[in-house]
Structures are given as C-alpha cells and as structure tokens.
Amino acid sequence: MDGPVHTSGWLRFEGSRLAEERGACYVELGRPDLAEATLTDALYQDISPRRRGSVLTDLATIGVQRRDTHQLVTYGNAALDAARQTGSAGYVDRKLAVLRPQLEPFRADSHVRHLEQEIARLKAVPA
C-alpha cells in the first residue's frame, strides 16, 4: 500500500503493519532467521512508540532464541525505553512481561539481570 491510509471505526489494521505482524509470527514459530530481517524493516517505517516497542521486544526475543545476550539486552533496553515513552502500562509492558521469564537462563549475565529488574520496575509503577 502506498501513501497514507485512513482506517475508520474499530478496524486499526492496514498494510503498514504487515512487516511487524509477519515478524511477530515468525518469532512465535521459533524462526529467528526469518523474523529478524522482517522486524528490522518494520523499525524503518514511521510507526508509533507503542508499535516500535512491540517490534523491539520481538527482536529481544530473537536474542533469547539465539542465546545472544548482546541482542537480547540491546533490544530489551530499547523496548523498555519505548514502553516508558508511551506513558501507559499496556501492550508493550505486557509483551515485556512475557519476555521476562525467558531471561532466566541468562541471569548469570549482569546486563540481563539489570534488564529483568527494569522490566519488573516498569510493571511495579502504577499507571
């Protein structure tokens, strides 16, 4: 779809969301090889902080799947920043909460422990 698209009513989906949705599906299927390029492309689109946080969380999850703590921490911290930027406890916070238990095998890494603590702190702040 080229150009701006206006959706009305309850439907919030339009073509610009395809890359992030496709990437999220690949993450769920455990296919980081297919997910990463698609999600990275989504980051270059003009997307809201909420959507950016979702994509960044998916990229952090790829780090978990690959056992790449550098990718996990880099994208996890960027997702935290996006969650804080939205100013609401919502969608990105829930995605980060799902990521948090997956950090357990990496807790020996101080950066991963810090990320886990920051996710916990984010959830503890009242909305």
Side-chain angles (χ1 to χ4, degrees):
M1 300 178 92
D2 293 331
V5 176
H6 175 73
T7 57
S8 60
W10 61 271
L11 182 62
R12 295 190 312 174
F13 182 84
E14 27 80 19
S16 72
R17 294 179 183 257
L18 287 176
E20 62 200 82
E21 293 296 327
R22 182 179 298 116
C25 288
Y26 287 142
V27 169
E28 286 296 315
L29 292 170
R31 295 295 310 266
D33 54 320
L34 298 173
E36 187 168 30
T38 304
L39 292 168
T40 301
D41 288 346
L43 286 179
Y44 289 106
Q45 296 179 11
D46 183 25
I47 58 177
S48 69
R50 176 184 175 271
R51 288 171 58 193
R52 178 170 299 283
S54 174
V55 170
L56 291 165
T57 303
D58 286 336
L59 286 163
T61 302
I62 291 171
V64 169
Q65 293 172 349
R66 289 186 172 154
R67 305 192 61 76
D68 180 342
T69 56
H70 178 68
Q71 179 174 359
L72 163 61
V73 169
T74 299
Y75 286 114
N77 281 320
L80 274 168
D81 290 344
R84 290 176 181 130
Q85 184 180 1
T86 65
S88 66
Y91 182 66
V92 179
D93 292 5
R94 286 190 300 273
K95 285 194 77 160
L96 286 166
V98 170
L99 175 66
R100 188 172 171 220
Q102 298 176 51
L103 305 181
E104 182 65 31
F106 309 98
R107 292 195 79 229
D109 184 296
S110 63
H111 297 97
V112 174
R113 281 195 312 275
H114 182 261
L115 174 63
E116 184 180 26
Q117 292 166 354
E118 289 301 307
I119 292 171
R121 180 185 288 160
L122 184 68
K123 298 304 294 173
V125 175

